[in-house]
Amino acid sequence: MNHLKVYITHFLLNDTNFIIASNASDVIYLANDDTMEYLNRHIERFYSEAVKITGYEADQLNAHFIEDLRLYFKGELKQFNWPLNLAGTDFQKKIWSSLCNIPYGKAVTYSEIALLSGNKQAVRAVGGAVGANPVMIVVPCHRVLGKNGELTGFSGGLDMKRTLLAIENIKYIK
C-alpha cells in the first residue's frame, strides 16, 4: 500500500521554535510550537493514513521553505509562493483563501473578512476559521485585527503576532 508521506521538520528561527510539515509537493502545516500535539491532531484528522518522516530526509525537503521564512523575518521576502494543501471545511478554506489575498503590510478586520465571505453576520465563524489556519504566516492570519484595528488573539501567541505586524509595519491599537 502506498501511503502519503508527511515530512516534519522542527527548526529554530529568531529564538522561536517552529514545526513545518509537507507532503512531497505541498506545505500542510506551519506553527510556532515545539510540541507535536497540534500537528499530530491535524495529521490524524486529515491525513490519518500518512506516514510521518522526520530527520535528514524531511529537513532536506523543507529546507527551501525554512529559508523563505528566514528571509521574511529579515524583511527581505514579502510574498510566499508556496504550494499549499490546506485541509479544513469548505468554509475554512474560503476564509483562508480570503486571507491569502490580504497584501503584505495591510490589515483587515474580522468584520471585513465576514463581509467578503458573503455573510456579514459570520464574524465569530470567521474568527474560528482564522484561528484554525494550519499554515501561519504564509496564510497571513496575523493581518486580521479586531474592530477599530485592535490587536486580537492569535494561535501563535500575541508576542508572535506583534512581531509579524512589526515586520510588515502594520499599525494596530494596543
Side-chain angles (χ1 to χ4, degrees), residues 7 22-25 56-65:
Y7 299 89
S22 61
N23 58 31
S25 59
Y56 182 78
E57 185 179 359
D59 296 349
Q60 290 300 111
L61 187 74
N62 290 322
H64 67 284
F65 300 126

Side-chain angles (χ1 to χ4, degrees), residues 130-142:
V130 170
N133 171 15
V135 184
M136 69 179 300
I137 303 171
V138 179
V139 178
C141 52
H142 61 279

Side-chain angles (χ1 to χ4, degrees), residues 15-150:
D15 297 322
T16 301
N17 290 303
F18 286 88
I19 297 175
I20 189 167
S22 61
N23 58 31
S25 59
D26 305 314
V27 173
I28 63 170
Y29 188 87
L30 172 65
N32 64 323
D33 186 0
D34 59 350
T35 69
M36 290 287 291
E37 179 184 357
Y38 294 113
L39 174 59
N40 282 335
R41 260 193 259 155
H42 187 74
I43 291 171
E44 288 168 16
R45 181 170 180 200
F46 297 109
Y47 308 98
S48 60
E49 299 293 316
V51 174
K52 297 175 193 169
I53 309 293
T54 59
Y56 182 78
E57 185 179 359
D59 296 349
Q60 290 300 111
L61 187 74
N62 290 322
H64 67 284
F65 300 126
I66 295 168
E67 180 57 26
D68 279 357
L69 286 166
R70 286 185 207 294
L71 293 172
Y72 171 83
F73 274 90
K74 289 167 60 176
E76 297 175 10
L77 181 71
K78 300 196 183 327
Q79 183 174 350
F80 294 90
N81 293 308
W82 293 7
L84 301 174
N85 184 342
L86 302 174
T89 67
D90 288 342
F91 180 76
Q92 288 171 330
K93 290 176 185 179
K94 182 177 182 179
I95 298 306
W96 299 334
S97 178
S98 294
L99 296 178
C100 290
N101 291 323
I102 304 169
Y104 180 96
K106 302 290 181 195
V108 299
T109 65
Y110 292 94
S111 299
E112 290 171 315
I113 296 287
L115 189 60
L116 288 172
S117 77
N119 183 352
K120 67 180 182 179
Q121 303 301 318
V123 177
R124 285 195 177 144
V126 166
V130 170
N133 171 15
V135 184
M136 69 179 300
I137 303 171
V138 179
V139 178
C141 52
H142 61 279
R143 295 179 188 152
V144 182
L145 300 172
K147 194 185 282 188
N148 302 320
E150 67 265 8

